[in-house]
Amino acid sequence: MNNPAAESATGSATERPAEHTREREQPYAHLVADRGRELAGAVAVLAEGEGPLVVHGPGGEHATGLVLALALLAAGLPHEEAVAAALPAEPQPEALLGALAAIAARGGPEPYLLRHGLTVSHFLALRERFAGDDAGLAAGDVS
């Protein structure tokens, strides 16, 4: 017997396997699609912070590299440099690359972050923060 209330709470049996397959293939797809405001908020914290900052998720399991890559891209670093700097902090490198591709398909990091709450002032602060060799990127100490 079908229980509509149970199906609406948990999803139908036919929807759940496809959803889990998508999460395995693109682990951060839900972050890009549904958590843009939180990603932009994390980038804003980096823009507003002073001194050295550490970015991490609980147990290093979450999209640390994605937040760093978005911050570096918002700071104006070329894509290749931002990805190279963020990859060591990312526990799921393929997920990072997939998430950045999904963001590119949505217009790129700047429009994506602006749509989700990052301000022009944040972009300017990030550009100042990560300008030149003083940012520590050349030494590879972004983590």
Side-chain angles (χ1 to χ4, degrees):
M1 181 181 291
N2 286 344
N3 182 342
E7 280 187 17
S8 68
T10 61
S12 72
T14 58
E15 290 175 326
R16 294 186 81 212
E19 181 179 309
H20 290 294
T21 300
R22 196 173 326 120
E23 284 178 17
R24 279 193 306 268
E25 291 173 1
Q26 300 173 357
Y28 295 163
H30 72 285
L31 290 175
V32 172
D34 302 327
R35 302 283 186 217
R37 200 158 283 287
E38 287 89 344
L39 289 170
V43 172
V45 168
L46 291 174
E48 295 166 357
E50 294 182 22
L53 297 170
V54 176
V55 178
H56 65 87
E61 300 171 355
H62 297 285
T64 304
L66 178 56
V67 170
L68 287 172
L70 287 172
L72 295 172
L73 290 166
L77 265 70
H79 181 81
E80 296 78 23
E81 289 180 35
V83 171
L87 276 174
E90 178 54 57
Q92 300 183 60
E94 283 75 29
L96 168 62
L97 298 174
L100 291 174
I103 289 169
R106 289 172 166 78
E110 289 181 354
Y112 177 82
L113 291 168
L114 284 167
R115 277 193 307 272
H116 290 97
L118 206 66
T119 67
V120 172
S121 295
H122 290 127
F123 280 95
L124 294 173
L126 287 164
R127 289 184 179 161
E128 184 176 319
R129 180 177 194 83
F130 292 112
D133 288 341
D134 293 337
L137 298 175
D141 63 357
V142 174
S143 59

